[in-house]
Amino acid sequence: PAIPVTAVAHRGSQPMAFVVDGQGRAEMRILRLGDTTGDRIAVLSGLMPGERVVVNPAPNLKAGDSLFGGRP
């Protein structure tokens, strides 16, 4: 899959992204990235097709945080 470049964050030297779990909470995924085309970047590993990615994660977002104010 390819995701928006803005969805990729770096914690240390590892590229990562957050996905939305079934309860509306953030789950962190470590990514292996491919080529960038326009505003999208290919994800070689770390995400499953169909997972919902947080496009502009807050700098202080962490795994387990509610993404919808407690309501998915």
Side-chain angles (χ1 to χ4, degrees), residues 3 5 11 15 32 38 59-60 72:
I3 61 173
V5 172
R11 301 283 164 96
R32 193 171 68 128
N60 60 344

Side-chain angles (χ1 to χ4, degrees), residues 2 4 9 12 14 19 24 29 42 48 50-51 61-63 65 70:
Q14 292 285 333
V19 298
R29 299 280 196 271
M48 298 296 294
E51 285 187 305
L61 183 65
K62 59 187 181 302
D65 283 356

Side-chain angles (χ1 to χ4, degrees):
I3 61 173
V5 172
T6 58
V8 178
H10 287 84
R11 301 283 164 96
S13 63
Q14 292 285 333
M16 47 82 56
F18 287 97
V19 298
V20 182
D21 73 9
Q23 287 75 47
R25 297 190 181 280
E27 286 187 13
M28 185 178 75
R29 299 280 196 271
I30 302 298
L31 306 177
R32 193 171 68 128
L33 301 173
D35 294 331
T36 301
T37 303
D39 64 348
R40 299 184 72 77
I41 190 163
V43 177
L44 304 177
S45 67
L47 291 178
M48 298 296 294
E51 285 187 305
R52 295 186 300 160
V53 176
V54 178
V55 176
N56 289 304
N60 60 344
L61 183 65
K62 59 187 181 302
D65 283 356
S66 176
L67 297 169
F68 301 103
R71 295 179 324 232

